[in-house]
Amino acid sequence: MSLNPFTRQREKREEKLEAKLEELKAAQAAPPLSAPMADPAPASAWTPGREVDYEAEDMNKYLPASAQVEQAAPTWQSRPTNYYEPPSRAWQCVSKLQSGFMIGGALGGAFGFLYGTFAAIKYKHVLYLPIAVLQAGGAFGFFLACGTVIRCEEPPLALHPPAAGEE
């Protein structure tokens, strides 16, 4: 006999579990014949050969209430014009300058990050990193912006082919 007071409680629980397990095994071995066989799938369930008519089903019930109300088409609040007015040459150049500076700044910032990391580790001074990023990004951005503005010129006029009667 064990001196542990919980051993008897554990043994009782084990006996109950074994009895329950025997009951379940007996029930599983011989199913009752009088019980009707349950239909595994109801008739309303989807089957591979059955087509579903989605046109007949009202899909609006899945929408939120705000989407079920008729809404007017959006209207534009700008002045009416019958022709396309391209942006001026100055705005095109400013746009090119801006995009050149941003691309150059990103590229220079990446190189500055690499160099700044190397310098910060070598000289054991962490402030080299942001200084190198800003310095290299600004320099690359400035030079790439200058390079894109140099190419900002008036587009050449397209020569129209002569009309059918003119030569």
Side-chain angles (χ1 to χ4, degrees):
M1 181 159 169
S2 173
L3 296 176
N4 189 346
F6 297 107
T7 303
R8 183 67 189 142
Q9 292 176 359
R10 182 180 50 82
E11 288 173 353
K12 284 183 181 179
R13 279 186 299 212
E14 286 176 356
E15 289 172 7
K16 286 182 184 179
L17 285 174
E18 286 176 8
K20 184 74 169 175
L21 184 63
E22 292 299 323
E23 271 181 41
L24 291 174
K25 283 183 181 178
Q28 189 178 23
L33 297 176
S34 62
M37 197 68 140
D39 188 18
S44 64
W46 179 81
T47 56
R50 190 174 138 229
E51 291 295 322
V52 178
D53 186 17
Y54 290 107
E55 297 295 329
E57 188 175 352
D58 182 25
M59 298 290 182
N60 287 335
K61 63 184 177 184
Y62 300 112
L63 294 174
S66 62
Q68 294 179 5
V69 180
E70 270 311 309
Q71 298 177 359
T75 58
W76 297 101
Q77 300 295 327
S78 64
R79 63 175 195 216
T81 57
N82 294 336
Y83 63 93
Y84 170 71
E85 183 178 346
S88 68
R89 181 173 175 230
W91 283 116
Q92 287 177 351
C93 287
V94 167
S95 175
K96 284 184 180 182
L97 181 128
Q98 180 184 9
S99 65
F101 184 79
M102 289 188 336
I103 292 170
L107 182 65
F111 279 116
F113 179 78
L114 293 175
Y115 173 73
T117 303
F118 167 74
I121 292 171
K122 182 177 180 181
Y123 300 114
K124 296 182 174 81
H125 198 276
V126 76
L127 285 180
Y128 280 122
L129 182 63
I131 291 171
V133 169
L134 292 175
Q135 199 170 16
F140 271 67
F142 175 75
F143 287 118
L144 199 59
C146 290
T148 55
V149 169
I150 289 172
R151 289 171 179 77
C152 185
E153 56 189 35
E154 192 72 34
L157 296 174
L159 299 175
H160 297 291
E166 301 173 5
E167 286 206 37

